[in-house]
Amino acid sequence: MAAGTTKALTPFIGRWRIVEMEQWDREFIDLEGPGHFTISKGGNGAFHFGAVQGELDCRVEECTRGHRVEFSW
């Protein structure tokens, strides 16, 4: 990951609580503990909600309102 990309990712680093999803209710999201996404400094991360967990490959994209995190899993 390029140095500029790491700097742009900095505001997103941390653990982010999932509070709402279109397809699942809160009871399912928190089935095995609080649903969350975790974004790490190196551009990788993880997620866990319901009975689903996995790893993320994160990158920062520019959008009309600033920056956003795009990811694949």
Side-chain angles (χ1 to χ4, degrees):
M1 177 177 286
T5 304
T6 302
K7 185 176 181 179
L9 187 63
T10 300
F12 300 102
I13 293 172
R15 184 177 174 128
W16 296 83
R17 179 86 162 86
I18 300 171
V19 296
E20 183 178 1
M21 297 179 83
E22 285 184 22
Q23 297 181 339
W24 297 286
D25 63 17
R26 188 61 174 265
E27 186 177 352
F28 177 76
I29 294 169
D30 296 338
L31 184 66
E32 295 182 346
H36 68 276
F37 284 88
T38 302
I39 300 173
S40 302
K41 190 172 166 179
N44 54 3
F47 66 91
H48 189 163
F49 62 88
V52 181
Q53 61 184 346
E55 296 181 1
L56 302 172
D57 176 28
C58 305
R59 60 206 156 279
V60 176
E61 299 285 333
E62 288 191 47
C63 64
T64 57
R65 292 183 283 174
H67 291 92
R68 67 179 177 199
V69 174
E70 295 272 334
F71 60 87
S72 58
W73 45 347

